[in-house]
Structures are given as structure tokens and as C-alpha cells.
Amino acid sequence: MGESRGKSRRNPLLGAAVLKALLRRRSGESRQQTSSLYEGVLRDLKLTDAEVETFLVSHEADVERAIRSHGRRGE
């Protein structure tokens, strides 16, 4: 049953990179509050911020595509 979930489940780095990219777009207090969410996600996925940053730089187009496709589904 878990195999049928979204791509971020199959690729935890993509999911974490999408979250980090979205957090970068926030500002002020909102950004501070959600950074603890990001840190928790990293712990749960057993990833480091450095791994996510490297993935984000290498797969920027994939991350942006994932963000855009999610927005369309959510509208």
C-alpha cells in the first residue's frame, strides 16, 4: 500500500528539497516557525541539510516542477 504514494515518498531527497525551496520563499516569523518543521523532516528521513542542499542545486528544475505540479493539484 505504501508504494502507491507520491514521488516524494520514493525520493525523500526530492521531498525535503521541495520543502526547503518553499521555506526559502517565506519571510519573517513564518519562516522561523516552519524551519523547525524542516528540521523534524530531516530527522525523520535521516537526511542532513547539506545533502538536501546538494540535491537542490543539482536538481533545481525537478524541484521547481514538483512545486508547480503540486500547486495545480491543490487549486
Side-chain angles (χ1 to χ4, degrees):
M1 189 175 356
E3 293 177 28
S4 65
R5 295 200 179 194
K7 289 183 180 182
S8 62
R9 271 289 200 203
R10 289 181 287 203
N11 189 345
L13 273 169
L14 176 60
V18 165
L19 179 58
K20 183 170 186 168
L22 290 171
L23 290 176
R24 284 181 173 169
R25 296 176 185 181
R26 292 181 171 247
S27 62
E29 189 176 319
S30 177
R31 184 175 184 169
Q32 292 172 351
Q33 291 172 346
T34 54
S35 68
S36 62
L37 169 68
Y38 173 69
E39 292 168 12
V41 167
L42 291 182
R43 272 193 309 275
D44 290 349
L45 296 176
K46 297 177 177 53
L47 296 171
T48 66
D49 183 58
E51 291 171 315
V52 175
E53 185 63 32
T54 299
F55 182 88
L56 187 55
V57 169
S58 301
H59 298 88
E60 187 175 353
D62 295 330
V63 171
E64 288 301 317
R65 192 169 21 258
I67 290 170
R68 284 192 309 272
S69 70
H70 178 71
R72 285 189 198 118
R73 282 190 310 236
E75 290 181 21

